[in-house]
Amino acid sequence: RVGPQEKKTPVINNNLDPVWSSDNEFTFDMPQSQAGGSSEVVELEVMNSNYFEDDSLGRTSLPLSKLVPGRWQHQVDKLKSRSKVTPVEGDLEYEVFVGPGDVPSAASASGPGGPPPPPPQELQPGVYTVARATAVYSKSMGCSDHDIVGYLSPGEQVQVLEVVNCVSDARIRGRLDEPKGWIPLLDTSNGLSWVKRCVETSYLVDNTWLCASRGGLAYRFSKNLHDKDLRPGELGGPPWGSKILGVDEGDGWVKVQDGRYLPVTVEGVPVLKVLDGSEPLDEETALEQELDRLYRELNRRMGAPDGTAATAAASLASFPGSSPLPPGSSPLQRPGMPVQF
């Protein structure tokens, strides 16, 4: 709040340590005559959202006259209670900027003259390889040794879920799911980078050389051919003829987005084929893929109301290379293709 102007962040449910990473940038207009000597203050209050009436969890304020125009100021304030009877505990971390006198004055929570520039296109959520050893921090801004929750070594791969531009720290940081926390991606003051983007590649799950009689290629939980995901159907692995996206680890394994692995070769022959996005599937592979799709669709409809499975069954019966459906079989599988290889 600045004077009569009041703005709010969205509610974060069931969280005693919330971090607002979106819809957290506000600009307040101030009369030009107040620039450089304003008696206004920025008031911030943390509220507990309730159905009928919100409760105050503490507040803080910052006189704008203490700020240097044209420069970001990073603040970590102790929250104060509205009541002397009910004490509060907690800190509020935020950034404030007051525009210089030669431009319209404003107070913002993000960057000069408005929100900070978005991260570069090459720094977006995705898979990265650590190029330079770094600590993992519990928060995205104002990090110190007290905020370290782990470390990463060069060569490790991480999944970045969110990227933020921390202007006051001259850092672009990324939020990780494992280990949970934030790491620096780029020093915006000198271009120093801690990570290298891993480009996901499209692969065809290819049975041309293996000639397996089973339904597909099983995911592995580790880089071990025997560490298979044994769940049936596509939960356990992609069927032959399907496409997947993954990152080539450079050691004969491709890592998919959920962290599981697929081998590039099995029994000395390739089972993953790189697609350039324009390469069409050959006729046999396309027929295999469509037949797999029909069996999966028929299985899905087996539990639906009477009659809905008939359409898929009729399509399957007329499909080239299909076999008669065994009576009463549920779930249905392609003949000779019960599980992943």
Side-chain angles (χ1 to χ4, degrees):
R1 183 186 301 113
V2 175
Q5 304 170 79
E6 182 176 297
K7 303 188 180 184
K8 297 181 180 180
T9 61
V11 174
I12 298 180
N13 292 316
N14 304 319
N15 192 328
L16 296 178
D17 190 20
V19 176
W20 286 271
S21 56
S22 62
D23 298 326
N24 63 337
E25 302 163 357
F26 306 111
T27 299
F28 298 91
D29 295 325
M30 295 187 297
Q32 185 69 32
S33 60
Q34 293 181 350
S38 174
S39 60
E40 296 282 1
V41 296
V42 178
E43 299 178 275
L44 302 102
E45 188 167 14
V46 180
M47 306 296 291
N48 180 36
S49 179
N50 293 310
Y51 187 79
F52 292 106
E53 185 177 358
D54 297 343
D55 300 325
S56 175
L57 296 178
R59 59 180 178 169
T60 185
S61 62
L62 179 68
L64 296 181
S65 59
K66 292 185 177 181
L67 300 178
V68 178
R71 182 182 301 176
W72 278 97
Q73 181 155 327
H74 179 259
Q75 293 285 125
V76 180
D77 294 349
K78 288 284 185 184
L79 291 174
K80 300 175 183 177
S81 175
R82 279 182 173 273
S83 168
K84 295 182 180 180
V85 179
T86 309
V88 297
E89 293 183 2
D91 299 331
L92 181 62
E93 183 178 0
Y94 61 98
E95 294 179 319
V96 180
F97 175 89
V98 174
D102 58 348
V103 298
S105 296
S108 171
S110 309
Q121 188 62 37
E122 63 270 19
L123 290 178
Q124 298 297 326
V127 180
Y128 290 81
T129 298
V130 177
R132 188 183 303 271
T134 180
V136 182
Y137 298 91
S138 61
K139 58 184 182 179
S140 61
M141 295 189 301
C143 302
S144 68
D145 290 348
H146 299 291
D147 306 309
I148 294 176
V149 294
Y151 295 91
L152 292 174
S153 302
E156 292 190 68
Q157 282 196 351
V158 292
Q159 179 78 36
V160 174
L161 305 178
E162 178 185 359
V163 178
V164 297
N165 192 350
C166 304
V167 178
S168 63
D169 293 346
R171 294 287 189 275
I172 293 178
R173 291 192 172 97
R175 179 170 64 85
L176 310 182
D177 181 51
E178 185 60 40
K180 290 187 181 298
W182 295 81
I183 62 169
L185 304 179
L186 181 70
D187 185 331
T188 56
S189 66
N190 58 19
L192 180 68
S193 178
W194 279 268
V195 295
K196 181 179 179 181
R197 181 74 183 265
C198 297
V199 180
E200 288 187 318
T201 304
S202 180
Y203 294 88
L204 171 69
V205 184
D206 188 14
N207 193 30
T208 302
W209 300 101
L210 187 62
C211 299
S213 60
R214 300 184 180 183
L217 186 63
Y219 290 118
R220 270 67 173 183
F221 294 111
S222 64
K223 296 180 180 181
N224 183 332
L225 283 174
H226 303 292
D227 191 14
K228 294 182 180 179
D229 187 334
L230 298 178
R231 289 177 294 178
E234 292 186 62
L235 289 174
W240 298 118
S242 62
K243 296 181 183 180
I244 61 103
L245 281 175
V247 175
D248 187 351
E249 297 272 277
D251 55 3
W253 292 91
V254 168
K255 187 175 185 179
V256 298
Q257 193 168 22
D258 65 7
R260 292 180 293 178
Y261 299 91
L262 287 172
V264 176
T265 63
V266 172
E267 296 182 0
V269 298
V271 289
L272 292 180
K273 179 182 179 182
V274 175
L275 296 174
D276 61 8
S278 61
E279 181 177 349
L281 298 179
D282 59 74
E283 184 178 359
E284 182 179 353
T285 300
L287 288 173
E288 283 279 313
Q289 191 169 339
E290 178 63 13
L291 190 54
D292 277 333
R293 187 192 67 78
L294 284 170
Y295 266 95
R296 290 196 299 272
E297 177 65 13
L298 187 56
N299 278 325
R300 186 184 69 81
R301 297 191 185 188
M302 290 296 289
D306 291 343
T308 57
T311 302
S315 299
L316 187 60
S318 62
F319 197 87
S322 63
S323 303
L325 300 178
S329 57
S330 179
L332 294 172
Q333 295 170 333
R334 289 188 57 185
M337 303 180 74
V339 293
Q340 284 79 12
F341 189 81

